[in-house]
Amino acid sequence: MREDLKSADPAAQSLLKTAGEKNVITSFERAESLKPCPIGSHGACCKMCHMGPCRLVGKEGETEGVCGASLPVVAARNFARMVAAGTAAHSDHARDLANTLLAVARGEAKDFQIKDARKLNRVAGYLDINIEGKTVNQVAEEVALKFLEQFGQQKGVLAYLSRAPKKRQEIWRKFGLEPRAIDRECVEMLHRTTMGVDQDAENIMLGAMRASLADGWGGSMMGTDISDILFGTPKPVQSRASLDVFKEDEVNLVVHGHEPSFAEMLVVAQEDPELASYAKSKGAKGVNLVGMCCTANEILIRHGIPTAGGFLQQELGIVTGMVEAMVVDVQCIMPAIAEISKKYHTKIITTTPKGKMTDAIHIEYDEHHALELAKKVIRLAIDNFENRKKEDVAPARVKPEDMIAGFSDEYIEYMQGGRFRGSYRPLNDAIIAGRIRGVVGIAGCNNPRICQDSLHNFLARELIKNDVLVVQTGCSAHASGKAGYMTPENALENAGQGLREVCEAIGIPPILHMGSCVDNSRILTVASHIAAEGGLGDDIGGLPAVGIAPEWMSEKAIAIGTYLVASGVPTIFGAGSPIEASKTMKDLMENKWWDMVNAGFYFEDNPEKMLELALKLIDAAREKLKIRPYSPGTFGTERVLMDMAARRAGTFATPHGVDV
Ligand code: NFS
């Protein structure tokens, strides 16, 4: 790790240099000149009312706000609000998708179809919807309506909670953690943390856990499922990742943000021969569609559209001077891009009334006219090609790395036995035998206060060296993709012997790209399958599995971390602790939560300690499960993974349950 660098990504380094030469200020420099407030960043600033803001800088137990709020209460309220905001973000994304599904089912959004009817039927099963004698669209309509109900229902609990192991459901029931309705949990959290309501840090954090579960087992899981139903369940695809995926002789159109619907239509429109010849008429060889942030992940895992990278690459993409248009929707879109684009020919196009930007062009997306709007946007980008200034063109000139992405839980099951024998047995057996020490989900953002990607890359490398299977999402997945870690060859070169043998047998990389941040829900599904398969306990809590977000910055990451813990996955966050100010909160999350949900939430900045803690948690779980202690190079006997020839022949074939 080079801490003196702003980024571990050579393409980002090259463009940071270009930006410096051209006096373009990016978030990397702003993070240097604008230091975080030490009071607020540690959770000790209360601005819930106008008697303050109160800065609780004294010792815990001695300091309080004007109203008498203690440090733990202030820190808990701040944390809980982050959870509510993160849950709201993922879930509002799901609501839009549910409305799109409804419009498709009713024949009102004719540019879309149901791409995975098998998954639709499975989802209908989870929701207790009878599919007998019904058309695909009738089932889709009922599923969409049931999903929409999940936001505001006044009775019962979220339907998807039943997908968790029975034991987990009992824990949630026992501690009152079952979310009732998505909107209700977000609203209640805001209410409880307003001045003068919940004055008990532990109780506030119970509310935070419940709200987070409305994200993981609610909004996010629905978002993933609806996207799969409408756009196809991912299976491995090959692609490339780098800030150097832009083409000098083509129109470069970046789609940035989080929602997949419009991006899907841009993928379709990009292939329109009429637009291709229009591009030629303007002197370009074609249209190069490129993704950024989680929208990138959505179209990468389904179509192999190359990614220009994650959150911290958005300004640098414009600095290449080759971006004709950047289409944005919601979340993680830096206001700075509008300003930077003024120095270049790049047009920023906002597409939702929820997210407008001054100085941007607004073309409102509407699923009822999706293709027409996608074509309009592409035309606009093509028209802008002639405005590209030669003197601005500064490619990163770092060869994009190849990557394989698209490991849905359906595909992970399929790859362990094929279409008819798919199961989690081989994975469970490999864990029991000690070939695979455990599983770590590395997720979350980049944060310009940390050398970009350095912690993601360090942890990914070290974990696979230690025989830990790594699954990734969001900007963390971008980091591994850019670093060239997401290829099966990486297993041969860098993984420990046990993990290497398993990866070779199955034909997978040791680091699996599972999609966007909303797709962290796939990790919950995988964990539930592992628990159900047997031999590793009967709950998610207690599995040799850990979640890590080493470079987090978003409230969404906090919601994800909290729902992982509430689901039984111990979780470690780097990049500074938002509850640092309160020892009580630290003790609650690191220790007391174990007694309730069988997992803890840790904040640890030091990467070596993060790694050590993750391995310690995995080994402790192995010991508790009374399975073979991990010892590199010595493995127990286990079932042969599968028929090698068959597996190799069909490594990237259609997985069970996926219609292509
Ligand atoms: Ni996740 Fe995706 Fe990235 Fe962080 Fe933002 S893009 S939803 S929040 S920054 S991983």
PDB file of all heavy atoms in Angstrom, residues 90 256-258 292-295 297 310-312 331-333 443-446 473-476 478 516-518 520 551-557 560, ligand 1:
ATOM      1  N   HIS A  90     -32.033   2.932  -1.017  1.00  0.00           N
ATOM      2  CA  HIS A  90     -32.160   1.638  -1.713  1.00  0.00           C
ATOM      3  C   HIS A  90     -33.620   1.306  -1.996  1.00  0.00           C
ATOM      4  O   HIS A  90     -33.958   0.732  -3.029  1.00  0.00           O
ATOM      5  CB  HIS A  90     -31.560   0.520  -0.853  1.00  0.00           C
ATOM      6  CG  HIS A  90     -30.063   0.547  -0.801  1.00  0.00           C
ATOM      7  ND1 HIS A  90     -29.346   0.216   0.310  1.00  0.00           N
ATOM      8  CD2 HIS A  90     -29.152   0.861  -1.754  1.00  0.00           C
ATOM      9  CE1 HIS A  90     -28.056   0.326   0.059  1.00  0.00           C
ATOM     10  NE2 HIS A  90     -27.914   0.718  -1.189  1.00  0.00           N
ATOM     11  N   HIS A 256     -24.357   6.940 -15.405  1.00  0.00           N
ATOM     12  CA  HIS A 256     -23.814   7.024 -14.051  1.00  0.00           C
ATOM     13  C   HIS A 256     -24.944   7.163 -13.033  1.00  0.00           C
ATOM     14  O   HIS A 256     -25.893   7.911 -13.256  1.00  0.00           O
ATOM     15  CB  HIS A 256     -22.883   8.248 -14.021  1.00  0.00           C
ATOM     16  CG  HIS A 256     -22.435   8.691 -12.662  1.00  0.00           C
ATOM     17  ND1 HIS A 256     -22.306   7.851 -11.587  1.00  0.00           N
ATOM     18  CD2 HIS A 256     -22.057   9.919 -12.213  1.00  0.00           C
ATOM     19  CE1 HIS A 256     -21.873   8.545 -10.534  1.00  0.00           C
ATOM     20  NE2 HIS A 256     -21.721   9.798 -10.899  1.00  0.00           N
ATOM     21  N   GLY A 257     -24.831   6.445 -11.948  1.00  0.00           N
ATOM     22  CA  GLY A 257     -25.844   6.510 -10.902  1.00  0.00           C
ATOM     23  C   GLY A 257     -26.185   5.120 -10.428  1.00  0.00           C
ATOM     24  O   GLY A 257     -25.293   4.292 -10.229  1.00  0.00           O
ATOM     25  N   HIS A 258     -27.484   4.848 -10.290  1.00  0.00           N
ATOM     26  CA  HIS A 258     -27.861   3.567  -9.677  1.00  0.00           C
ATOM     27  C   HIS A 258     -29.001   2.810 -10.309  1.00  0.00           C
ATOM     28  O   HIS A 258     -29.094   1.598 -10.152  1.00  0.00           O
ATOM     29  CB  HIS A 258     -28.146   3.789  -8.193  1.00  0.00           C
ATOM     30  CG  HIS A 258     -26.879   3.977  -7.435  1.00  0.00           C
ATOM     31  ND1 HIS A 258     -26.171   5.142  -7.470  1.00  0.00           N
ATOM     32  CD2 HIS A 258     -26.163   3.107  -6.697  1.00  0.00           C
ATOM     33  CE1 HIS A 258     -25.066   4.997  -6.756  1.00  0.00           C
ATOM     34  NE2 HIS A 258     -25.034   3.772  -6.280  1.00  0.00           N
ATOM     35  N   MET A 292     -20.747   3.774 -14.990  1.00  0.00           N
ATOM     36  CA  MET A 292     -20.026   4.315 -13.842  1.00  0.00           C
ATOM     37  C   MET A 292     -20.858   4.079 -12.585  1.00  0.00           C
ATOM     38  O   MET A 292     -22.091   4.136 -12.627  1.00  0.00           O
ATOM     39  CB  MET A 292     -19.775   5.805 -14.065  1.00  0.00           C
ATOM     40  CG  MET A 292     -18.814   6.404 -13.099  1.00  0.00           C
ATOM     41  SD  MET A 292     -18.095   7.902 -13.771  1.00  0.00           S
ATOM     42  CE  MET A 292     -16.580   7.330 -14.470  1.00  0.00           C
ATOM     43  N   CYS A 293     -20.189   3.826 -11.489  1.00  0.00           N
ATOM     44  CA  CYS A 293     -20.836   3.535 -10.204  1.00  0.00           C
ATOM     45  C   CYS A 293     -21.750   2.313 -10.329  1.00  0.00           C
ATOM     46  O   CYS A 293     -21.468   1.400 -11.080  1.00  0.00           O
ATOM     47  CB  CYS A 293     -21.562   4.749  -9.655  1.00  0.00           C
ATOM     48  SG  CYS A 293     -20.412   5.874  -8.837  1.00  0.00           S
ATOM     49  N   CYS A 294     -22.861   2.332  -9.608  1.00  0.00           N
ATOM     50  CA  CYS A 294     -23.651   1.095  -9.570  1.00  0.00           C
ATOM     51  C   CYS A 294     -24.486   0.870 -10.819  1.00  0.00           C
ATOM     52  O   CYS A 294     -24.797  -0.265 -11.159  1.00  0.00           O
ATOM     53  CB  CYS A 294     -24.485   1.038  -8.306  1.00  0.00           C
ATOM     54  SG  CYS A 294     -23.463   0.468  -6.929  1.00  0.00           S
ATOM     55  N   THR A 295     -24.845   1.931 -11.560  1.00  0.00           N
ATOM     56  CA  THR A 295     -25.486   1.688 -12.854  1.00  0.00           C
ATOM     57  C   THR A 295     -24.529   0.875 -13.719  1.00  0.00           C
ATOM     58  O   THR A 295     -24.939  -0.016 -14.466  1.00  0.00           O
ATOM     59  CB  THR A 295     -25.844   3.013 -13.565  1.00  0.00           C
ATOM     60  OG1 THR A 295     -26.614   3.801 -12.683  1.00  0.00           O
ATOM     61  CG2 THR A 295     -26.650   2.763 -14.819  1.00  0.00           C
ATOM     62  N   ASN A 297     -22.426  -1.319 -12.685  1.00  0.00           N
ATOM     63  CA  ASN A 297     -22.499  -2.715 -12.256  1.00  0.00           C
ATOM     64  C   ASN A 297     -23.732  -3.415 -12.821  1.00  0.00           C
ATOM     65  O   ASN A 297     -23.677  -4.576 -13.202  1.00  0.00           O
ATOM     66  CB  ASN A 297     -22.499  -2.794 -10.729  1.00  0.00           C
ATOM     67  CG  ASN A 297     -21.118  -2.524 -10.150  1.00  0.00           C
ATOM     68  OD1 ASN A 297     -20.114  -2.927 -10.731  1.00  0.00           O
ATOM     69  ND2 ASN A 297     -21.051  -1.845  -9.016  1.00  0.00           N
ATOM     70  N   GLY A 310     -15.764   3.385 -10.301  1.00  0.00           N
ATOM     71  CA  GLY A 310     -16.718   3.728  -9.264  1.00  0.00           C
ATOM     72  C   GLY A 310     -16.794   5.206  -8.952  1.00  0.00           C
ATOM     73  O   GLY A 310     -16.356   6.073  -9.735  1.00  0.00           O
ATOM     74  N   PHE A 311     -17.292   5.464  -7.771  1.00  0.00           N
ATOM     75  CA  PHE A 311     -17.609   6.808  -7.282  1.00  0.00           C
ATOM     76  C   PHE A 311     -16.516   7.862  -7.537  1.00  0.00           C
ATOM     77  O   PHE A 311     -16.786   8.954  -8.011  1.00  0.00           O
ATOM     78  CB  PHE A 311     -17.898   6.670  -5.784  1.00  0.00           C
ATOM     79  CG  PHE A 311     -18.115   7.954  -5.061  1.00  0.00           C
ATOM     80  CD1 PHE A 311     -19.202   8.749  -5.355  1.00  0.00           C
ATOM     81  CD2 PHE A 311     -17.239   8.363  -4.066  1.00  0.00           C
ATOM     82  CE1 PHE A 311     -19.411   9.932  -4.668  1.00  0.00           C
ATOM     83  CE2 PHE A 311     -17.440   9.545  -3.378  1.00  0.00           C
ATOM     84  CZ  PHE A 311     -18.526  10.335  -3.684  1.00  0.00           C
ATOM     85  N   LEU A 312     -15.273   7.519  -7.242  1.00  0.00           N
ATOM     86  CA  LEU A 312     -14.212   8.529  -7.350  1.00  0.00           C
ATOM     87  C   LEU A 312     -13.690   8.723  -8.775  1.00  0.00           C
ATOM     88  O   LEU A 312     -12.758   9.477  -9.003  1.00  0.00           O
ATOM     89  CB  LEU A 312     -13.041   8.185  -6.423  1.00  0.00           C
ATOM     90  CG  LEU A 312     -13.232   8.540  -4.946  1.00  0.00           C
ATOM     91  CD1 LEU A 312     -11.982   8.251  -4.143  1.00  0.00           C
ATOM     92  CD2 LEU A 312     -13.616  10.015  -4.780  1.00  0.00           C
ATOM     93  N   GLN A 331     -28.196   9.128  -6.645  1.00  0.00           N
ATOM     94  CA  GLN A 331     -27.212   8.629  -5.679  1.00  0.00           C
ATOM     95  C   GLN A 331     -25.752   8.630  -6.171  1.00  0.00           C
ATOM     96  O   GLN A 331     -25.452   8.160  -7.242  1.00  0.00           O
ATOM     97  CB  GLN A 331     -27.563   7.207  -5.201  1.00  0.00           C
ATOM     98  CG  GLN A 331     -28.954   7.104  -4.605  1.00  0.00           C
ATOM     99  CD  GLN A 331     -29.411   5.662  -4.431  1.00  0.00           C
ATOM    100  OE1 GLN A 331     -28.611   4.750  -4.403  1.00  0.00           O
ATOM    101  NE2 GLN A 331     -30.707   5.472  -4.303  1.00  0.00           N
ATOM    102  N   CYS A 332     -24.894   9.138  -5.281  1.00  0.00           N
ATOM    103  CA  CYS A 332     -23.436   9.120  -5.491  1.00  0.00           C
ATOM    104  C   CYS A 332     -22.984   9.958  -6.687  1.00  0.00           C
ATOM    105  O   CYS A 332     -21.900   9.730  -7.234  1.00  0.00           O
ATOM    106  CB  CYS A 332     -22.903   7.697  -5.592  1.00  0.00           C
ATOM    107  SG  CYS A 332     -23.284   6.726  -4.130  1.00  0.00           S
ATOM    108  N   ILE A 333     -23.842  10.886  -7.098  1.00  0.00           N
ATOM    109  CA  ILE A 333     -23.472  11.764  -8.210  1.00  0.00           C
ATOM    110  C   ILE A 333     -22.924  13.057  -7.615  1.00  0.00           C
ATOM    111  O   ILE A 333     -23.635  13.772  -6.913  1.00  0.00           O
ATOM    112  CB  ILE A 333     -24.694  12.032  -9.111  1.00  0.00           C
ATOM    113  CG1 ILE A 333     -25.129  10.716  -9.765  1.00  0.00           C
ATOM    114  CG2 ILE A 333     -24.382  13.076 -10.166  1.00  0.00           C
ATOM    115  CD1 ILE A 333     -26.588  10.571  -9.954  1.00  0.00           C
ATOM    116  N   ALA A 443     -17.454  -4.799   0.366  1.00  0.00           N
ATOM    117  CA  ALA A 443     -18.437  -3.950  -0.308  1.00  0.00           C
ATOM    118  C   ALA A 443     -18.124  -2.485  -0.047  1.00  0.00           C
ATOM    119  O   ALA A 443     -17.126  -2.150   0.574  1.00  0.00           O
ATOM    120  CB  ALA A 443     -19.835  -4.298   0.211  1.00  0.00           C
ATOM    121  N   GLY A 444     -19.001  -1.666  -0.516  1.00  0.00           N
ATOM    122  CA  GLY A 444     -18.926  -0.245  -0.183  1.00  0.00           C
ATOM    123  C   GLY A 444     -18.077   0.573  -1.120  1.00  0.00           C
ATOM    124  O   GLY A 444     -17.560   0.105  -2.125  1.00  0.00           O
ATOM    125  N   CYS A 445     -17.913   1.799  -0.671  1.00  0.00           N
ATOM    126  CA  CYS A 445     -17.514   2.900  -1.532  1.00  0.00           C
ATOM    127  C   CYS A 445     -16.012   3.079  -1.649  1.00  0.00           C
ATOM    128  O   CYS A 445     -15.226   2.315  -1.106  1.00  0.00           O
ATOM    129  CB  CYS A 445     -18.089   4.166  -0.922  1.00  0.00           C
ATOM    130  SG  CYS A 445     -19.647   3.939  -0.046  1.00  0.00           S
ATOM    131  N   ASN A 446     -15.668   4.154  -2.334  1.00  0.00           N
ATOM    132  CA  ASN A 446     -14.353   4.787  -2.218  1.00  0.00           C
ATOM    133  C   ASN A 446     -14.562   6.078  -1.459  1.00  0.00           C
ATOM    134  O   ASN A 446     -15.649   6.648  -1.464  1.00  0.00           O
ATOM    135  CB  ASN A 446     -13.763   5.122  -3.593  1.00  0.00           C
ATOM    136  CG  ASN A 446     -13.270   3.898  -4.334  1.00  0.00           C
ATOM    137  OD1 ASN A 446     -13.666   3.648  -5.458  1.00  0.00           O
ATOM    138  ND2 ASN A 446     -12.396   3.135  -3.711  1.00  0.00           N
ATOM    139  N   THR A 473     -19.286  -6.315  -4.290  1.00  0.00           N
ATOM    140  CA  THR A 473     -20.334  -5.519  -4.938  1.00  0.00           C
ATOM    141  C   THR A 473     -19.874  -4.061  -4.998  1.00  0.00           C
ATOM    142  O   THR A 473     -18.829  -3.702  -4.447  1.00  0.00           O
ATOM    143  CB  THR A 473     -21.635  -5.548  -4.108  1.00  0.00           C
ATOM    144  OG1 THR A 473     -21.312  -5.083  -2.792  1.00  0.00           O
ATOM    145  CG2 THR A 473     -22.256  -6.923  -4.036  1.00  0.00           C
ATOM    146  N   GLY A 474     -20.677  -3.234  -5.623  1.00  0.00           N
ATOM    147  CA  GLY A 474     -20.493  -1.784  -5.600  1.00  0.00           C
ATOM    148  C   GLY A 474     -19.126  -1.332  -6.073  1.00  0.00           C
ATOM    149  O   GLY A 474     -18.514  -1.926  -6.966  1.00  0.00           O
ATOM    150  N   CYS A 475     -18.638  -0.271  -5.444  1.00  0.00           N
ATOM    151  CA  CYS A 475     -17.355   0.289  -5.858  1.00  0.00           C
ATOM    152  C   CYS A 475     -16.200  -0.630  -5.478  1.00  0.00           C
ATOM    153  O   CYS A 475     -15.120  -0.552  -6.070  1.00  0.00           O
ATOM    154  CB  CYS A 475     -17.168   1.675  -5.254  1.00  0.00           C
ATOM    155  SG  CYS A 475     -18.285   2.868  -6.009  1.00  0.00           S
ATOM    156  N   SER A 476     -16.410  -1.486  -4.503  1.00  0.00           N
ATOM    157  CA  SER A 476     -15.388  -2.457  -4.142  1.00  0.00           C
ATOM    158  C   SER A 476     -15.145  -3.404  -5.312  1.00  0.00           C
ATOM    159  O   SER A 476     -14.000  -3.755  -5.637  1.00  0.00           O
ATOM    160  CB  SER A 476     -15.852  -3.237  -2.908  1.00  0.00           C
ATOM    161  OG  SER A 476     -14.841  -4.090  -2.467  1.00  0.00           O
ATOM    162  N   HIS A 478     -15.657  -2.667  -8.417  1.00  0.00           N
ATOM    163  CA  HIS A 478     -14.934  -1.897  -9.441  1.00  0.00           C
ATOM    164  C   HIS A 478     -13.431  -1.954  -9.166  1.00  0.00           C
ATOM    165  O   HIS A 478     -12.625  -2.077 -10.084  1.00  0.00           O
ATOM    166  CB  HIS A 478     -15.349  -0.421  -9.412  1.00  0.00           C
ATOM    167  CG  HIS A 478     -16.706  -0.158  -9.978  1.00  0.00           C
ATOM    168  ND1 HIS A 478     -17.038  -0.414 -11.277  1.00  0.00           N
ATOM    169  CD2 HIS A 478     -17.817   0.358  -9.415  1.00  0.00           C
ATOM    170  CE1 HIS A 478     -18.294  -0.067 -11.488  1.00  0.00           C
ATOM    171  NE2 HIS A 478     -18.792   0.401 -10.372  1.00  0.00           N
ATOM    172  N   SER A 516     -24.324  -4.675  -7.998  1.00  0.00           N
ATOM    173  CA  SER A 516     -24.356  -3.330  -7.420  1.00  0.00           C
ATOM    174  C   SER A 516     -24.511  -3.419  -5.900  1.00  0.00           C
ATOM    175  O   SER A 516     -24.599  -4.507  -5.343  1.00  0.00           O
ATOM    176  CB  SER A 516     -25.539  -2.579  -8.014  1.00  0.00           C
ATOM    177  OG  SER A 516     -26.729  -3.233  -7.620  1.00  0.00           O
ATOM    178  N   CYS A 517     -24.595  -2.261  -5.246  1.00  0.00           N
ATOM    179  CA  CYS A 517     -24.760  -2.272  -3.779  1.00  0.00           C
ATOM    180  C   CYS A 517     -26.109  -2.837  -3.360  1.00  0.00           C
ATOM    181  O   CYS A 517     -26.221  -3.480  -2.326  1.00  0.00           O
ATOM    182  CB  CYS A 517     -24.612  -0.869  -3.218  1.00  0.00           C
ATOM    183  SG  CYS A 517     -22.899  -0.425  -3.066  1.00  0.00           S
ATOM    184  N   VAL A 518     -27.131  -2.574  -4.175  1.00  0.00           N
ATOM    185  CA  VAL A 518     -28.440  -3.167  -3.890  1.00  0.00           C
ATOM    186  C   VAL A 518     -28.308  -4.698  -3.887  1.00  0.00           C
ATOM    187  O   VAL A 518     -28.979  -5.402  -3.136  1.00  0.00           O
ATOM    188  CB  VAL A 518     -29.449  -2.655  -4.955  1.00  0.00           C
ATOM    189  CG1 VAL A 518     -30.601  -3.589  -5.138  1.00  0.00           C
ATOM    190  CG2 VAL A 518     -29.943  -1.262  -4.588  1.00  0.00           C
ATOM    191  N   ASN A 520     -26.134  -6.459  -2.623  1.00  0.00           N
ATOM    192  CA  ASN A 520     -25.651  -7.085  -1.384  1.00  0.00           C
ATOM    193  C   ASN A 520     -26.726  -8.023  -0.843  1.00  0.00           C
ATOM    194  O   ASN A 520     -26.443  -8.912  -0.051  1.00  0.00           O
ATOM    195  CB  ASN A 520     -25.290  -6.037  -0.334  1.00  0.00           C
ATOM    196  CG  ASN A 520     -23.930  -5.416  -0.624  1.00  0.00           C
ATOM    197  OD1 ASN A 520     -22.957  -6.126  -0.875  1.00  0.00           O
ATOM    198  ND2 ASN A 520     -23.864  -4.104  -0.624  1.00  0.00           N
ATOM    199  N   GLU A 551     -13.590   1.378   2.690  1.00  0.00           N
ATOM    200  CA  GLU A 551     -13.432   2.771   2.252  1.00  0.00           C
ATOM    201  C   GLU A 551     -14.794   3.458   2.159  1.00  0.00           C
ATOM    202  O   GLU A 551     -15.041   4.243   1.256  1.00  0.00           O
ATOM    203  CB  GLU A 551     -12.701   2.809   0.890  1.00  0.00           C
ATOM    204  CG  GLU A 551     -11.339   2.127   0.897  1.00  0.00           C
ATOM    205  CD  GLU A 551     -10.615   2.169  -0.454  1.00  0.00           C
ATOM    206  OE1 GLU A 551     -10.886   3.069  -1.253  1.00  0.00           O
ATOM    207  OE2 GLU A 551      -9.775   1.273  -0.699  1.00  0.00           O
ATOM    208  N   TRP A 552     -15.670   3.171   3.106  1.00  0.00           N
ATOM    209  CA  TRP A 552     -17.052   3.653   2.997  1.00  0.00           C
ATOM    210  C   TRP A 552     -17.159   5.169   3.086  1.00  0.00           C
ATOM    211  O   TRP A 552     -16.314   5.829   3.690  1.00  0.00           O
ATOM    212  CB  TRP A 552     -17.926   3.007   4.081  1.00  0.00           C
ATOM    213  CG  TRP A 552     -17.742   3.596   5.456  1.00  0.00           C
ATOM    214  CD1 TRP A 552     -16.748   3.303   6.332  1.00  0.00           C
ATOM    215  CD2 TRP A 552     -18.564   4.586   6.091  1.00  0.00           C
ATOM    216  NE1 TRP A 552     -16.897   4.035   7.471  1.00  0.00           N
ATOM    217  CE2 TRP A 552     -18.002   4.837   7.359  1.00  0.00           C
ATOM    218  CE3 TRP A 552     -19.721   5.273   5.722  1.00  0.00           C
ATOM    219  CZ2 TRP A 552     -18.554   5.752   8.261  1.00  0.00           C
ATOM    220  CZ3 TRP A 552     -20.273   6.196   6.616  1.00  0.00           C
ATOM    221  CH2 TRP A 552     -19.685   6.419   7.864  1.00  0.00           C
ATOM    222  N   MET A 553     -18.240   5.698   2.509  1.00  0.00           N
ATOM    223  CA  MET A 553     -18.539   7.127   2.682  1.00  0.00           C
ATOM    224  C   MET A 553     -20.043   7.371   2.732  1.00  0.00           C
ATOM    225  O   MET A 553     -20.486   8.360   3.265  1.00  0.00           O
ATOM    226  CB  MET A 553     -17.884   7.984   1.584  1.00  0.00           C
ATOM    227  CG  MET A 553     -18.371   7.763   0.166  1.00  0.00           C
ATOM    228  SD  MET A 553     -19.844   8.731  -0.202  1.00  0.00           S
ATOM    229  CE  MET A 553     -20.487   7.863  -1.613  1.00  0.00           C
ATOM    230  N   SER A 554     -20.844   6.469   2.182  1.00  0.00           N
ATOM    231  CA  SER A 554     -22.270   6.761   2.002  1.00  0.00           C
ATOM    232  C   SER A 554     -23.123   6.244   3.165  1.00  0.00           C
ATOM    233  O   SER A 554     -22.797   5.233   3.790  1.00  0.00           O
ATOM    234  CB  SER A 554     -22.729   6.104   0.697  1.00  0.00           C
ATOM    235  OG  SER A 554     -24.128   6.067   0.613  1.00  0.00           O
ATOM    236  N   GLU A 555     -24.232   6.945   3.393  1.00  0.00           N
ATOM    237  CA  GLU A 555     -25.198   6.455   4.391  1.00  0.00           C
ATOM    238  C   GLU A 555     -25.719   5.074   4.001  1.00  0.00           C
ATOM    239  O   GLU A 555     -26.063   4.263   4.857  1.00  0.00           O
ATOM    240  CB  GLU A 555     -26.379   7.433   4.479  1.00  0.00           C
ATOM    241  CG  GLU A 555     -26.029   8.764   5.122  1.00  0.00           C
ATOM    242  CD  GLU A 555     -27.069   9.837   4.852  1.00  0.00           C
ATOM    243  OE1 GLU A 555     -27.565   9.917   3.702  1.00  0.00           O
ATOM    244  OE2 GLU A 555     -27.387  10.610   5.764  1.00  0.00           O
ATOM    245  N   LYS A 556     -25.762   4.822   2.690  1.00  0.00           N
ATOM    246  CA  LYS A 556     -26.232   3.506   2.230  1.00  0.00           C
ATOM    247  C   LYS A 556     -25.324   2.404   2.756  1.00  0.00           C
ATOM    248  O   LYS A 556     -25.783   1.313   3.099  1.00  0.00           O
ATOM    249  CB  LYS A 556     -26.255   3.470   0.697  1.00  0.00           C
ATOM    250  CG  LYS A 556     -27.332   4.323   0.081  1.00  0.00           C
ATOM    251  CD  LYS A 556     -27.272   4.270  -1.433  1.00  0.00           C
ATOM    252  CE  LYS A 556     -26.098   5.050  -1.986  1.00  0.00           C
ATOM    253  NZ  LYS A 556     -25.899   4.852  -3.428  1.00  0.00           N
ATOM    254  N   ALA A 557     -24.032   2.691   2.814  1.00  0.00           N
ATOM    255  CA  ALA A 557     -23.089   1.678   3.314  1.00  0.00           C
ATOM    256  C   ALA A 557     -23.395   1.363   4.778  1.00  0.00           C
ATOM    257  O   ALA A 557     -23.336   0.201   5.209  1.00  0.00           O
ATOM    258  CB  ALA A 557     -21.652   2.176   3.155  1.00  0.00           C
ATOM    259  N   ILE A 560     -26.290  -0.899   4.951  1.00  0.00           N
ATOM    260  CA  ILE A 560     -25.890  -2.261   4.553  1.00  0.00           C
ATOM    261  C   ILE A 560     -25.147  -2.953   5.705  1.00  0.00           C
ATOM    262  O   ILE A 560     -25.448  -4.097   6.062  1.00  0.00           O
ATOM    263  CB  ILE A 560     -24.995  -2.221   3.286  1.00  0.00           C
ATOM    264  CG1 ILE A 560     -25.800  -1.760   2.073  1.00  0.00           C
ATOM    265  CG2 ILE A 560     -24.371  -3.605   3.019  1.00  0.00           C
ATOM    266  CD1 ILE A 560     -24.954  -1.350   0.872  1.00  0.00           C
TER     267      ILE A 560
HETATM  268 NI1  NFS B   1     -22.738   1.779  -2.942  1.00  0.00          NI
HETATM  269 FE1  NFS B   1     -23.174   2.455  -5.548  1.00  0.00          FE
HETATM  270 FE2  NFS B   1     -20.114   3.293  -4.744  1.00  0.00          FE
HETATM  271 FE3  NFS B   1     -20.711   3.582  -2.283  1.00  0.00          FE
HETATM  272 FE4  NFS B   1     -21.995   4.873  -4.102  1.00  0.00          FE
HETATM  273  S1  NFS B   1     -21.756   3.877  -6.133  1.00  0.00           S
HETATM  274  S2  NFS B   1     -24.636   2.044  -4.077  1.00  0.00           S
HETATM  275  S3  NFS B   1     -22.791   3.925  -2.117  1.00  0.00           S
HETATM  276  S4  NFS B   1     -19.953   5.036  -3.636  1.00  0.00           S
HETATM  277  S5  NFS B   1     -20.337   1.647  -3.228  1.00  0.00           S
END
